[in-house]
Amino acid sequence: MRLRRASGRANHIQKHRDKRLLLVEDSRMFAAALKHGLELTHGINVAHCASLAAVKAEVAAAGEWAFSLAVLDLNLPDAPNCEALDFILANNVPAIVFTAAFNDSTRDQILNRGVADCIVKNEPESIERLIAAVDRVLTKGRTTVLLVDSCAASRQDLASILRRGLFAVIEASEAWEALQVLDQGETVDVIVTDTGLADLAGLALLGEVQKRQGEDAVPIIGLSEQGDARVAARFIEAGGADFIRKPFLEAEFSGRIRHAAMLQKRIQALKLAAASDYLTGIFNRRHFFMTGPRLIDQYLRRGEGTSIAVLDIDHFKRLNDTYGHEIGDLVLKHVAGRLKALVGDQHLLARLGGEEFGILFDGLDVREAFAFCERLRVELAKSKIVADDEELAITVSIGLATIEAPEAFENYLHAADQFLYMAKHAGRNRVISELALLDALAS
């Protein structure tokens, strides 16, 4: 079997160098090829074991949580009946199965036990597929489930089942706690809720999540002991992702949650592609206008004021007329890249059109946001762009508006635009907000 040289080696070799992988494989050929490929492609630290006895010794020596992932064959000389997989899962290590002894029935059984993926040996490009699967699992991490159940005993049992399935679990006893978790920005892939909550029925929770999150709403799976099929029908018709009646098979429960999470991640990946600006790769105007109002609603519900900024590249038309649109595009990509590096994921950044960018700040009052914008302005002025062997310097003007009460999203943006207009007419390369105006009047 031939292992292709990984493309983009220099870009990927450092990606997982801080992680350890346990490789359980008794075939010397496969073990050597996998160890070499994983270390070469991802920089991951691979510990190889050829038997269950060696696995137990390695895990005992390394300690709990030492391994980020295990790749293992189902059948080993001293463990012919999946005993190695049982041991790995019992020690809370996520697993990818790589085996020749496989059929559709076995695959379904293994996946329902919480295995991250199953790849068959001796198929074309099986090693390349495994290396890609390792990257995918290590990058995305575990699926996070928000479990909402008013009954403590039931919630504890469900949480235990989920953790055995290698899900990360956030528990909430009431609907308001679940909504608070979402408002605080916790990463949640699936919500599992009993429909008979003490403070809010499951249908009402479903509606509230959809109202707050819109198109990006987390999928919700309903649970109920009621045998009436109409309860399930109403839940699904209202937008629920799935409905499970108690009692249920543990494998079915975990499998349906995993399926809902997988679909959600695929949908989010498609939405991310649609939300990206074609030139700069950051979010586009449509995403800014769709996501901004929901985020502001969350901030205001938490009792936090926030701010919105509109940033414009100074003299961009002159630059385009002088150097051409190709250099203009280069400048836009440069500014977007620097902004993305400086703003990070905490705040919402988008290209609004042309040379104009928008930033919606999370948790910064007007003084903090003003200081943040000043840092952006200074850093962008320091950065240089080389075009046709000529070094170009750019500056930006920024308008910053405070958000303290519910209004139409366009009103916030219009206020920031007005401050941007003032910054342009005051000489450019500056930040103007009501704070700057008040400070000027006070002096």
Side-chain angles (χ1 to χ4, degrees), residues 17-36:
R17 66 176 185 174
D18 60 331
K19 299 182 177 72
R20 293 192 69 198
L21 181 142
L22 181 61
L23 174 60
V24 185
E25 174 59 64
D26 61 322
S27 164
R28 288 187 179 182
M29 180 194 71
F30 277 114
L34 289 172
K35 190 173 190 299
H36 174 74

Side-chain angles (χ1 to χ4, degrees), residues 247-316:
F248 48 74
L249 293 175
E250 184 172 323
E252 178 195 8
F253 179 61
S254 297
R256 290 171 110 175
I257 293 172
R258 194 168 287 106
H259 179 69
M262 178 187 67
L263 287 178
Q264 178 70 358
K265 287 176 180 178
R266 288 179 180 173
I267 291 169
Q268 291 303 320
L270 292 172
K271 286 183 176 179
L272 180 61
S276 299
D277 176 61
Y278 73 98
L279 178 65
T280 63
I282 64 174
F283 287 127
N284 57 25
R285 180 184 182 89
R286 179 178 179 273
H287 181 79
F288 196 73
F289 272 75
M290 290 186 64
T291 307
R294 175 173 58 81
L295 293 177
I296 290 172
D297 186 44
Q298 289 181 12
Y299 304 152
L300 295 179
R301 273 202 309 273
R302 295 200 303 250
E304 299 175 359
T306 188
S307 303
I308 189 169
V310 177
L311 178 151
D312 187 273
I313 302 173
D314 294 330
H315 300 298
F316 186 75

Side-chain angles (χ1 to χ4, degrees), residues 72-83:
L72 73 157
D73 194 342
L74 284 179
N75 302 316
L76 299 171
D78 60 344
N81 297 308
C82 303
E83 292 92 342

Side-chain angles (χ1 to χ4, degrees), residues 21-291:
L21 181 142
L22 181 61
L23 174 60
V24 185
E25 174 59 64
D26 61 322
S27 164
R28 288 187 179 182
M29 180 194 71
F30 277 114
L34 289 172
K35 190 173 190 299
H36 174 74
L38 289 165
E39 291 177 342
L40 177 71
T41 308
H42 302 314
I44 192 167
N45 182 0
V46 178
H48 171 235
C49 298
S51 66
L52 178 57
V55 169
K56 291 180 177 179
E58 184 70 36
V59 170
E64 192 175 9
W65 311 114
F67 295 101
S68 302
L69 180 65
V71 172
L72 73 157
D73 194 342
L74 284 179
N75 302 316
L76 299 171
D78 60 344
N81 297 308
C82 303
E83 292 92 342
L85 178 61
D86 294 336
F87 178 79
I88 292 294
L89 295 180
N91 280 273
N92 295 310
V93 180
I96 295 177
V97 168
F98 185 64
T99 185
F102 228 62
N103 54 46
D104 289 342
S105 175
T106 306
R107 179 184 177 86
D108 291 341
Q109 291 175 16
I110 295 301
L111 285 174
N112 283 335
R113 294 182 61 185
V115 170
D117 206 345
C118 299
I119 295 173
V120 181
K121 292 180 181 178
N122 301 319
E123 286 190 349
E125 301 183 348
S126 60
I127 293 181
E128 285 84 351
R129 286 179 56 209
L130 177 63
I131 291 172
V134 167
D135 178 47
R136 183 172 62 251
V137 173
L138 291 178
T139 300
K140 292 182 178 179
R142 297 188 181 189
T143 295
T144 299
V145 177
L146 174 55
L147 175 62
V148 195
D149 195 332
S150 299
C151 174
S154 171
R155 189 173 65 253
Q156 184 177 2
D157 289 342
L158 291 170
S160 296
I161 292 172
L162 289 168
R163 291 190 175 103
R164 283 198 296 274
L166 300 181
F167 295 100
V169 183
I170 302 173
E171 296 183 43
S173 60
E174 298 180 34
W176 70 267
E177 289 182 10
L179 294 171
Q180 192 174 52
V181 167
L182 296 178
D183 284 345
Q184 288 170 348
E186 293 284 351
T187 300
V188 174
D189 297 303
V190 181
I191 298 173
V192 175
T193 179
D194 193 282
T195 55
L197 298 174
D199 62 335
L200 193 67
L203 272 174
L205 174 60
L206 174 62
E208 188 63 30
V209 171
Q210 292 173 335
K211 184 176 79 173
R212 295 186 181 201
Q213 296 193 329
E215 290 186 356
D216 295 325
V218 176
I220 301 181
I221 296 176
L223 292 174
S224 177
E225 292 181 352
Q226 297 182 34
D228 192 341
R230 288 172 295 183
V231 176
R234 285 195 295 269
F235 191 84
I236 298 297
E237 286 172 359
D242 202 348
F243 193 91
I244 303 173
R245 292 186 183 86
K246 301 177 183 177
F248 48 74
L249 293 175
E250 184 172 323
E252 178 195 8
F253 179 61
S254 297
R256 290 171 110 175
I257 293 172
R258 194 168 287 106
H259 179 69
M262 178 187 67
L263 287 178
Q264 178 70 358
K265 287 176 180 178
R266 288 179 180 173
I267 291 169
Q268 291 303 320
L270 292 172
K271 286 183 176 179
L272 180 61
S276 299
D277 176 61
Y278 73 98
L279 178 65
T280 63
I282 64 174
F283 287 127
N284 57 25
R285 180 184 182 89
R286 179 178 179 273
H287 181 79
F288 196 73
F289 272 75
M290 290 186 64
T291 307

